[in-house]
Amino acid sequence: PKTERTFIAVKPDGVQRGLVGDIIARFEKRGYKLVALKMEQATEEHLKKHYADLSAKPFFAGLVKFMSSGPLVAMVWEGLDVVKQGRAMLGETNPLNSKPGSIRGDYSIDMGRNICHGSDSVESAKKEIQLWFKDSEVSNYQRANDCWVYE
Ligand code: DAT
Ligand code: MG
């Protein structure tokens, strides 16, 4: 359970707005462990795979275009319940429904500029991590302070 992993991305708007450090800091301070990170300008082809479940939606083309419009920061975070907790830390899909204290609730207004992505289930996290990272790009390491994060 402590080794559950989730895929978190700072979208191109979050990168442009200088929010990468803040978003990383929130996961670090919570106690989660960073196991993979890269900056990448993803292709539309890649993003169509990432958002395949949404391909029938009217906003799909615009979403893929926006997500490919600049570099994003892709990450894998590890820890207890990190998929669900990560979603809670991001806030709701619509920033207007996101509570202050969440990333979207603190930094965004518009659904199409909600600055971050997080896997919505353990299953989709597995798929997304495989889509964005090679096995060799994900680090396995022990953190010396884990005994101060987990009982
Ligand atoms: P989330 O990113 O919270 O997992 P999602 O997977 O349903 O939300 O949709 C992916 C992204 O697509 C979302 O972050 C913003 C955009 N989006 C979702 N619903 C939308 C809508 N009704 N209109 C415009 N953009 C939308
Ligand atoms: Mg989603």
Side-chain angles (χ1 to χ4, degrees):
K2 286 175 196 169
T3 59
E4 185 174 298
R5 287 174 171 174
T6 192
F7 175 72
I8 299 289
V10 183
K11 294 178 178 182
D13 51 341
V15 172
Q16 289 293 329
R17 293 181 53 201
L19 298 172
V20 175
D22 184 290
I23 292 167
I24 291 174
R26 287 172 183 240
F27 281 85
E28 282 187 328
K29 288 180 198 169
R30 182 80 190 271
Y32 287 122
K33 182 165 82 172
L34 182 63
V35 295
L37 177 145
K38 64 179 160 190
M39 175 175 264
E40 177 179 326
Q41 184 155 3
T43 63
E44 292 202 21
E45 186 191 8
H46 186 81
L47 290 157
K48 282 177 186 165
K49 286 184 201 156
H50 173 75
Y51 281 127
D53 292 351
L54 300 173
S55 59
K57 302 281 185 190
F59 57 83
F60 182 70
L63 173 64
V64 164
K65 197 161 187 218
F66 158 65
M67 287 291 289
S68 65
S69 66
L72 52 74
V73 172
M75 298 176 272
V76 180
W77 287 90
E78 184 179 287
L80 186 65
D81 203 33
V82 69
V83 172
K84 189 175 123 207
Q85 298 301 319
R87 290 285 289 190
M89 289 164 72
L90 298 197
E92 301 298 318
T93 303
N94 186 343
L96 298 182
N97 298 328
S98 299
K99 291 197 179 76
S102 66
I103 294 165
R104 286 166 173 168
D106 284 348
Y107 302 130
S108 64
I109 299 168
D110 207 16
M111 186 128 68
R113 298 288 185 271
N114 63 7
I115 67 173
C116 49
H117 168 85
S119 308
D120 62 10
S121 68
V122 173
E123 265 319 290
S124 48
K126 285 199 178 112
K127 280 190 216 159
E128 291 174 1
I129 291 166
Q130 284 202 12
L131 179 65
W132 288 88
F133 290 97
K134 298 176 205 158
D135 282 354
S136 62
E137 293 176 319
V138 182
S139 295
N140 290 296
Y141 66 101
Q142 297 290 320
R143 243 182 3 181
N145 65 344
D146 265 355
C147 62
W148 302 106
V149 175
Y150 297 104
E151 187 178 1

